[in-house]
Amino acid sequence: MTVVCPVHRCGRGLHWGKRSCICPAGHTFDIARSGYVNLLLPQDKRANNPGDTKAMVGSRRRLLDAGLGERLLEGLAAALAKIPIPRGARVLDVGCGDGFYLAALVNRFGLEGYGVDISTAAVDAAAQRYPGPRWIAANGDRRLPFADQTLDCILSITARKNPEEFKRLLKPGGRLLLAVPADDDLAELRQAVLGQATAKDRVRLTTEAFEENFVLESHETARLAVYLDQPALLDLLLVTYRGARFSAAAGAAALKPLTVTSAAELLCFKLKSA
Ligand SMILES: [Zn+2]
């Protein structure tokens, strides 16, 4: 079993039962009615990034249903096809949100999927909608609840990136698929709300963070322009700024429907051999 007990210094394999997961030392974790398991520890409640609220999960879902994630999903599928990833390969999505990308890829490629997110609202929504993969609430900033070298591929889609953990978890030659916002991602929205469209060069920063243990194999850009009405723009503001930064911005209330660029850089890395 690749999923392990999250209790400090335990780390034994978790048996996945009907109502709970239990390790040989007797640590027990409830499985929610929807089917996800909660492996959050008490200290995770004080995490720096508490994850999406239920309202944010709803906003993200509406945006994905409106097609905002289609181009990125196609890019991820093309990258997996190119590797190529075998059927039954074990794939972890760190920061899986409501499971949109992982569930589609698991379905398409016949993978064994694991989705982790710190937001119980997000994994609850994932488990309700997509019964295939295993959904786990856990803190991706800490030690991830998986055994060493048991994963074929890790996805981190505009989520947290933990190079040491990713290295620990991947099998030799395993792949890491990272999506980071492109410089022009949501540029029109930032222009309208903040009066600026700053670029951050995340590709260089990400490559530098991973180059010690990973080789960059491919780099594609997934870009899509979508016309969004005001309710959709408010959804986008909520998930982008958590409602904090834009509430003060005079532009938010007066937002007119807008064509917005959704753009992500897709980086595929291979774990270097030891
Ligand atoms: Zn244990």
Side-chain angles (χ1 to χ4, degrees):
M1 184 45 132
T2 181
V3 183
V4 300
C5 178
V7 171
H8 186 53
R9 299 221 173 98
C10 183
R12 295 173 177 86
L14 273 187
H15 171 72
W16 203 288
K18 267 211 146 51
R19 299 236 168 78
S20 61
C21 287
I22 185 162
C23 86
H27 301 126
T28 305
F29 303 89
D30 289 340
I31 296 175
R33 196 175 311 168
S34 61
Y36 77 88
V37 66
N38 190 341
L39 299 185
L40 289 167
L41 298 172
Q43 58 265 37
D44 293 325
K45 298 205 173 95
R46 300 190 302 271
N48 292 329
N49 177 6
D52 283 4
T53 61
K54 201 167 180 191
M56 290 169 72
V57 172
S59 291
R60 263 188 224 286
R61 166 51 55 192
R62 286 191 291 276
L63 291 165
L64 290 168
D65 283 343
L68 209 66
E70 294 303 328
R71 197 60 57 84
L72 180 52
L73 177 59
E74 288 316 308
L76 290 163
L80 289 180
K82 199 155 81 179
I83 289 173
I85 192 144
R87 290 188 74 79
R90 212 176 255 167
V91 177
L92 166 66
D93 184 356
V94 178
C96 63
D98 81 346
F100 171 81
Y101 297 103
L102 180 64
L105 296 170
V106 160
N107 207 14
R108 193 179 304 192
F109 293 95
L111 307 171
E112 183 180 319
Y114 297 85
V116 165
D117 203 287
I118 195 170
S119 162
T120 51
V123 287
D124 190 47
Q128 283 180 39
R129 186 146 169 164
Y130 308 111
R134 300 271 202 208
W135 304 106
I136 300 166
N139 186 349
D141 288 347
R142 296 180 188 273
R143 194 175 170 85
L144 284 158
F146 293 87
D148 294 359
Q149 298 190 4
T150 51
L151 301 172
D152 296 286
C153 182
I154 295 176
L155 312 173
S156 173
I157 301 160
T158 61
R160 307 295 268 225
K161 294 165 182 58
N162 191 335
E164 284 304 312
E165 269 299 84
F166 295 172
K167 179 191 167 203
R168 179 180 73 81
L169 297 177
L170 284 172
K171 293 178 185 174
R175 299 312 208 283
L176 177 61
L177 222 50
L178 302 180
V180 296
D183 286 348
D184 59 343
D185 184 50
L186 311 184
E188 303 85 352
L189 186 73
R190 281 181 274 139
Q191 186 69 45
V193 175
L194 304 173
Q196 58 184 357
T198 40
K200 283 195 178 160
D201 198 9
R202 289 190 182 86
V203 170
R204 186 177 56 80
L205 295 172
T206 306
T207 306
E208 282 173 5
F210 283 89
E211 67 189 358
E212 187 184 342
N213 297 310
F214 292 88
V215 182
L216 182 63
E217 279 192 321
S218 68
H219 173 197
E220 307 282 341
T221 305
R223 184 175 280 111
L224 175 72
V226 270
Y227 181 78
L228 298 176
D229 60 13
Q230 202 195 35
L233 289 170
L234 292 174
D235 279 333
L236 195 53
L237 284 168
L238 181 63
V239 301
T240 307
Y241 301 118
R242 300 189 70 89
R245 276 164 65 198
F246 78 85
S247 57
L255 267 184
K256 299 271 190 302
L258 195 63
T259 296
V260 174
T261 301
S262 170
E265 307 287 359
L266 201 50
L267 305 168
C268 182
F269 292 92
K270 184 177 183 179
L271 184 63
K272 285 182 187 172
S273 44

